[in-house]
Amino acid sequence: MKTAAKILAGLSAAAVSLSAILFAAAAHYSFNLPDEYYVTGENVLNFSCKPLTADLIKPVSTEIDSISKNASEQVQLRLFGVVPIKNVSVTHVDEPVLVPCGTPFGIKLLTDGVMVIDTGEFTSDRQLVSPARSAGLKAGDIITSVNGQKVMTNAELQKLFAGSDGKPVTVSYRRNSIDCTSYITPKRSSEDGKYKAGLWVRDSTAGIGTVTFYNAETGVFAGLGHPVCDSDNGEILPLSTGQSADVVINGVSKGKSGKPGELIGTFTTGLPSGILAENCQSGVYGLMDSSPVTSSGIPLAMRQEIEIGDAYILSTIKGKTPKQYSVSIEKIDLTDAPDSRNMVIRITDPQLLAETGGIVQGMSGSPIIQNGKLVGAVTHVFVSNPKKGYAIFADTMYEESCKISVSDANAA
């Protein structure tokens, strides 16, 4: 009897432990999984991640999705088809067809205002001073105007400080998307006699990335999969105007553990190939008159369709023509992550490993294709292991690209 009692007690304890594990997992998924999903055509919501299931609990509702303009339905997510997780909204959309590119492009970006890189000291009347720092300005602030006059370049800012004659000036700036105002009293520099504020600023940048896809219906393109950020403080550079330009890749600095490699390229002409309209968390977006490649479009995969396993990327490591390289998708994070690290991929292609060591800077935006569909784009390399890196979901980039219009690009 005692033995039977011990067995029953053990089974009860195991059952309690299993229940606790299941409900902990359900709570984890409930907190981290998105509340909205898209499916194409008449498909139902299915997950490549087998523990998750979705069951329709409510027919088409009166709710209209803001992006697709289609009606949505309510679905309950469950763990192993048994443990309820949460109710989510599922919207049926037409299957987008996009042209995967993998071509290099140059980025020329002029910021909306000037970004403060740092505040510095200089000598005035035998004292070290920093008027901007004393006024509370700091790295990452975006100066938009001085005494009500809009500033777009470092030269304009210097001219306004130099002409202040040492009188206080009103400086308007943005900090974390909040409009702020400070009063700076420029001081005369003992070095050159000019009135200064003690600011290091940036008003433009240029670089090389990879085009992810082109939408033949709208002329919109997407690239990088991550924002263009300031190299000193890591802040997203606010876009005022920008252009894409033709680039040729003429060399590779091979990556190795602890030191990321990079593609070495040059701008081929001074003429723009497109207009940049947005620089945001999921990449850069704009308009081109024509596709940078001659290949046909392929369907867009929704994030829940992506599977652990083999895939390939399109990337250009020499010249201007992309090639296909094998990769493996090792991890998928379905959560609405605020950055562009939704998947972990590993380069498996022997040729790419031999020539680049894996993922290198400049490959950001290289489209990832699996089962004939566009599933994502390469975004970051693991510094400790260049064979591996992060990728963003293609549906995230597509949703952002749908916000771009011809008027936006003209305004930019």
Side-chain angles (χ1 to χ4, degrees), residues 2-148:
K2 290 184 178 179
T3 302
K6 287 182 179 180
I7 293 174
L8 288 174
L11 290 174
S12 298
V16 170
S17 297
L18 179 59
S19 297
I21 292 171
L22 287 174
F23 283 100
H28 167 78
Y29 281 122
S30 176
F31 180 78
N32 289 290
L33 289 176
D35 295 322
E36 298 179 355
Y37 293 87
Y38 295 93
V39 297
T40 55
E42 299 300 319
N43 294 329
V44 297
L45 179 60
N46 284 321
F47 292 89
S48 61
C49 179
K50 298 305 180 186
L52 296 175
T53 63
D55 300 302
L56 182 66
I57 60 173
K58 189 176 180 181
V60 175
S61 71
T62 55
E63 301 257 342
I64 302 297
D65 179 75
S66 59
I67 297 296
S68 67
K69 308 303 181 185
N70 293 332
S72 62
E73 60 192 16
Q74 296 298 305
V75 166
Q76 185 179 68
L77 301 186
R78 295 180 183 177
L79 192 62
F80 298 109
V82 178
V83 182
I85 296 175
K86 66 176 176 179
N87 296 343
V88 298
S89 173
V90 176
T91 304
H92 292 262
V93 298
D94 293 333
E95 189 168 59
V97 176
L98 305 167
V99 180
C101 297
T103 48
F105 76 115
I107 300 165
K108 298 179 180 179
L109 186 151
L110 183 66
T111 60
D112 183 16
V114 294
M115 174 175 280
V116 177
I117 306 305
D118 200 0
T119 56
E121 297 178 329
F122 59 93
T123 303
S124 177
D125 293 332
R126 299 182 181 182
Q127 292 183 332
L128 283 176
V129 297
S130 180
R133 187 183 301 165
S134 298
L137 270 73
K138 61 182 182 179
D141 291 342
I142 310 295
I143 298 175
T144 55
S145 67
V146 174
N147 284 341

Side-chain angles (χ1 to χ4, degrees), residues 130 180 210 313 376:
S130 180
C180 306
T210 298
I313 64 172

Side-chain angles (χ1 to χ4, degrees), residues 4 13 38 41 56 61 68 81 89 94 123 133 140 171 182-183 194 214 262 320 340 348 373 390 392 397 404 410:
Y38 295 93
L56 182 66
S61 71
S68 67
S89 173
D94 293 333
T123 303
R133 187 183 301 165
V171 177
S182 286
Y183 301 94
K194 294 181 179 180
Y214 176 80
E262 65 176 330
K320 302 171 68 174
S340 48
T348 58
K373 291 188 175 185
Y390 289 110
I392 187 175
M397 296 183 72
I404 306 301
N410 289 337

Side-chain angles (χ1 to χ4, degrees), residues 99-280:
V99 180
C101 297
T103 48
F105 76 115
I107 300 165
K108 298 179 180 179
L109 186 151
L110 183 66
T111 60
D112 183 16
V114 294
M115 174 175 280
V116 177
I117 306 305
D118 200 0
T119 56
E121 297 178 329
F122 59 93
T123 303
S124 177
D125 293 332
R126 299 182 181 182
Q127 292 183 332
L128 283 176
V129 297
S130 180
R133 187 183 301 165
S134 298
L137 270 73
K138 61 182 182 179
D141 291 342
I142 310 295
I143 298 175
T144 55
S145 67
V146 174
N147 284 341
Q149 183 172 335
K150 188 174 182 178
V151 292
M152 297 294 292
T153 67
N154 183 18
E156 292 173 349
L157 189 65
Q158 288 181 346
K159 184 177 180 180
L160 288 168
F161 286 142
S164 68
D165 200 28
K167 297 178 182 177
V169 297
T170 304
V171 177
S172 298
Y173 60 97
R174 289 194 305 274
R175 177 179 295 171
N176 299 326
S177 301
I178 299 174
D179 292 330
C180 306
T181 300
S182 286
Y183 301 94
I184 297 178
T185 303
K187 300 293 184 180
R188 188 193 296 270
S189 170
S190 300
E191 182 178 347
D192 58 15
K194 294 181 179 180
Y195 286 98
K196 300 180 178 180
L199 283 170
W200 296 94
V201 299
R202 178 168 287 123
D203 57 18
S204 62
T205 191
I208 293 175
T210 298
V211 180
T212 304
F213 65 76
Y214 176 80
N215 189 329
E217 291 187 0
T218 63
V220 173
F221 77 93
L224 283 189
H226 63 71
V228 177
C229 296
D230 181 78
S231 58
D232 292 300
N233 58 35
E235 297 288 335
I236 297 177
L237 291 172
L239 174 65
S240 172
T241 60
Q243 297 175 342
S244 63
D246 290 331
V247 165
V248 60
I249 303 300
N250 44 37
V252 178
S253 173
K254 193 172 181 178
K256 57 184 180 181
S257 179
K259 186 179 180 181
E262 65 176 330
L263 298 178
I264 301 170
T266 55
F267 290 70
T268 57
T269 70
L271 300 175
S273 61
I275 299 172
L276 301 183
E278 186 173 4
N279 175 39
C280 64

Side-chain angles (χ1 to χ4, degrees), residues 226 255-262 340-341 345 347 356-364 378-391:
H226 63 71
K256 57 184 180 181
S257 179
K259 186 179 180 181
E262 65 176 330
S340 48
R341 305 182 186 192
I345 65 169
I347 304 296
T356 68
I359 300 170
V360 297
Q361 295 175 12
M363 286 173 60
S364 295
V378 178
T379 59
H380 300 81
V381 61
F382 286 9
V383 175
S384 60
N385 181 6
K387 295 180 182 180
K388 301 178 71 172
Y390 289 110

